[in-house]
Amino acid sequence: MEKKAELLAAAREVFAEKGYKAAGISDIAKRSHMAVGSFYKYYESKEAVFLDVYVAENSRIREETMRRVDWQDKPEAVVEQLFAVTFELISPNKILAEWNKPGISQLLHDYYRQEEGRAANAFHRFLIQTFSQRLQEEGFSKEKTAEIMKVYDLIYYIDMHVTEQEFPGYFNSIETLVKYFVKGIFSK
């Protein structure tokens, strides 16, 4: 195994056990059986390695979410499943819980706001494709689909800028907004 991959695997273990704040570079170096100085050959900081760990962990959890949601169910049921599975998988995960914690959340939000983060976010692309296709299958015109997907862009924007810390009840509020928005779209 390549040294950087070993370091990344060790960092994932340490962050999963301790969380971002309590984890130290020395903990990561020790777990990967390398000197602290060697850590800096691969990463410039704890923040840099954490970002790589977070992106990989987020991708792993989102792939699991994609597998567990029944995307053919009624639209409002899909939204309920999506939020329930997301909550179930993210809540106990110390790495992904950092999304809302001061000290590192700004780095994470900044990454996913940038084009690189959006492009690397397979779950984001999957949702756009899945919901656009579903809207078209339901008979929505391309123009109406584009208009509705603009609301999805707004929700993504909100998710990249607001944390539970800044807006208590954020997760439940965004779930309610999405659920009733989708229910309204598909009610005939």
Side-chain angles (χ1 to χ4, degrees):
M1 186 186 263
E2 181 187 308
K3 287 288 186 190
K4 185 174 182 178
E6 290 175 18
L7 180 65
L8 193 60
R12 188 210 172 280
E13 289 174 9
V14 171
F15 288 128
E17 289 170 13
K18 297 184 172 195
Y20 173 78
K21 189 174 182 180
I25 291 173
S26 60
D27 298 320
I28 296 166
K30 183 178 178 181
R31 182 76 56 101
S32 65
H33 307 290
M34 67 174 59
V36 171
S38 296
F39 171 93
Y40 291 102
K41 289 180 185 177
Y42 304 101
Y43 289 99
E44 63 186 34
S45 64
K46 180 170 94 168
E47 291 84 4
V49 71
F50 184 77
L51 180 59
D52 279 358
V53 167
Y54 187 93
V55 169
E57 186 70 3
N58 189 44
S59 293
R60 185 183 73 76
I61 291 296
R62 296 307 185 171
E63 286 172 16
E64 176 67 17
T65 301
M66 288 187 282
R67 281 192 298 276
R68 290 181 49 187
V69 170
D70 177 3
W71 298 98
Q72 300 306 312
D73 207 343
K74 293 183 296 182
E76 56 269 16
V78 170
V79 170
E80 288 174 4
Q81 289 176 56
L82 180 58
F83 277 90
V85 170
T86 297
F87 183 76
E88 176 190 335
L89 295 175
I90 291 178
S91 292
N93 189 307
K94 285 190 177 185
I95 295 168
L96 298 182
E98 299 294 340
W99 181 255
N100 289 312
K101 293 188 180 170
I104 194 67
S105 68
Q106 190 64 50
L107 174 75
L108 301 174
H109 285 244
D110 288 347
Y111 173 78
Y112 283 104
R113 271 195 302 256
Q114 296 171 12
E115 191 56 41
E116 175 189 1
R118 284 178 77 116
N121 190 340
F123 186 64
H124 170 63
R125 290 190 318 273
F126 173 80
L127 288 177
I128 289 171
Q129 179 183 5
T130 300
F131 285 117
S132 293
Q133 181 178 345
R134 184 77 178 255
L135 289 166
Q136 290 174 6
E137 288 170 0
E138 293 284 332
F140 288 88
S141 68
K142 287 186 181 197
E143 294 78 20
K144 187 54 99 174
T145 298
E147 184 181 323
I148 292 168
M149 292 311 295
K150 205 67 175 145
V151 175
Y152 170 81
D153 285 342
L154 174 62
I155 293 166
Y156 185 88
Y157 178 87
I158 292 168
D159 197 31
M160 296 306 110
H161 288 80
V162 178
T163 66
E164 189 75 27
Q165 187 92 15
E166 299 161 326
F167 188 92
Y170 162 75
F171 185 82
N172 291 337
S173 298
I174 202 81
E175 178 182 7
T176 302
L177 172 68
V178 171
K179 182 167 57 175
Y180 287 105
F181 176 72
V182 168
K183 189 173 184 175
I185 290 170
F186 290 100
S187 64
K188 294 184 179 191

